[in-house]
């Protein structure tokens, strides 16, 4: 993804920020992915701090707040409009305008990192995963869900970056994350990966 494509991508989300929560895609698509993602969180985890990368309007963080009511919630998104909506809809959480490749967090400051369908937008996926590895405390988990259509379909639609399951596992390993699980969801169109920092 070129710098111009990245800018256009962010601007697209800026334009949709005020109507994003009301879109039928939330319950048709994103709620289904959120359920799959929540089901991948290790059962034994009791996070004190949770980070959602590509948090949009904070919808996933509000679901996580119900499951982990004592956890501090942090969201990062490159679209200022999305962050403004997230702050309005998710009081008590902390939000930053930023990107996965340059997380505005101290090292070893969170216990659980989530990312839903934003990975293919990341400019440098390997760098972003390394940033996650730095932000996680030892024993912390990264639960990643991203759309991953078959490569031939991706070549036709050419939206974002395509990374194979093997490539995703390699990025996790290089970032110091031990892959605990990886599976497909929603047919072949979703890839879920869980890594734990050693």
């Amino acid at each position: 993804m070129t710098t111009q494509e990245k800018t256009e991508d962010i601007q697209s989300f800026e334009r949709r920020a005020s109507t994003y929560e009301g879109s039928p895609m939330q319950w048709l698509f994103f709620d289904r992915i959120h359920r799959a993602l929540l089901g991948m969180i290790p059962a034994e985890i009791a996070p004190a701090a949770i980070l959602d990368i590509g948090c949009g309007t904070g919808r996933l963080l509000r679901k996580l707040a119900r499951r982990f009511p004592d956890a501090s919630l942090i969201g990062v998104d490159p679209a200022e409009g999305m962050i403004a909506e997230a702050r309005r809809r998710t009081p008590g959480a902390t939000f930053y305008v930023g990107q996965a490749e340059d997380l505005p967090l101290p090292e070893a400051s969170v216990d659980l990192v989530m990312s839903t369908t934003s990975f293919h937008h990341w400019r440098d996926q390997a760098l972003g995963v390394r940033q996650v590895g730095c932000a996680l405390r030892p024993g912390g988990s990264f639960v990643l869900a991203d759309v991953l259509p078959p490569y031939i379909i991706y070549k036709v639609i050419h939206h974002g970056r395509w990374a194979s399951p093997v490539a995703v596992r390699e990025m996790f390993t290089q970032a110091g994350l031990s892959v605990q699980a990886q599976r497909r969801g929603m047919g072949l169109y979703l890839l879920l990966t869980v890594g734990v920092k050693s």
Side-chain angles (χ1 to χ4, degrees):
M1 185 180 289
T2 66
T3 302
Q4 180 180 348
E5 287 172 331
K6 182 72 176 177
T7 301
E8 291 171 356
D9 196 34
I10 294 169
Q11 289 173 347
S12 168
F13 283 99
E14 291 283 3
R15 288 191 296 272
R16 292 183 282 159
S18 62
T19 59
Y20 194 72
E21 283 269 339
S23 166
M25 288 297 287
Q26 293 299 333
W27 53 271
L28 282 172
F29 183 66
F30 293 110
D31 283 348
R32 290 176 62 195
I33 295 174
H34 288 171
R35 283 193 296 274
L37 196 72
L38 292 167
M40 297 288 284
I41 296 173
E44 67 279 4
I45 197 167
I50 300 172
L51 168 65
D52 183 13
I53 301 174
C55 66
T57 56
R59 190 177 179 95
L60 177 61
L61 282 172
R62 294 193 295 277
K63 294 174 183 176
L64 287 160
R66 292 192 289 271
R67 181 162 171 182
F68 303 109
D70 296 326
S72 298
L73 305 175
I74 306 161
V76 172
D77 197 282
E80 290 183 26
M82 289 290 189
I83 290 296
E85 282 292 312
R87 286 177 176 142
R88 186 174 69 80
R89 293 173 179 273
T90 319
T94 302
F95 292 98
Y96 300 99
V97 176
Q99 301 181 30
E101 299 90 344
D102 188 23
L103 290 176
L105 299 174
E107 288 189 22
S109 59
V110 295
D111 307 289
L112 176 61
V113 178
M114 312 287 280
S115 184
T116 310
T117 66
S118 74
F119 188 62
H120 63 284
H121 295 285
W122 296 8
R123 181 185 71 256
D124 185 331
Q125 292 171 323
L127 176 57
V129 176
R130 289 197 302 273
Q131 286 280 295
V132 169
C134 287
L136 278 171
R137 295 182 179 120
S141 296
F142 178 30
V143 186
L144 173 68
D146 199 40
V147 290
L148 188 69
Y151 187 70
I152 191 159
I153 295 175
Y154 164 77
K155 290 301 286 182
V156 172
I157 60 175
H158 190 64
H159 178 66
R161 295 188 178 278
W162 192 92
S164 71
V166 171
V168 172
R169 289 196 302 272
E170 181 63 23
M171 288 180 216
F172 273 52
T173 299
Q174 290 178 356
L177 305 173
S178 172
V179 176
Q180 303 295 300
Q182 187 177 65
R183 68 175 178 82
R184 292 282 196 158
M186 297 173 67
L188 296 176
Y189 290 88
L190 184 70
L191 181 69
L192 299 116
T193 309
V194 180
V196 174
K197 182 173 181 177
S198 52

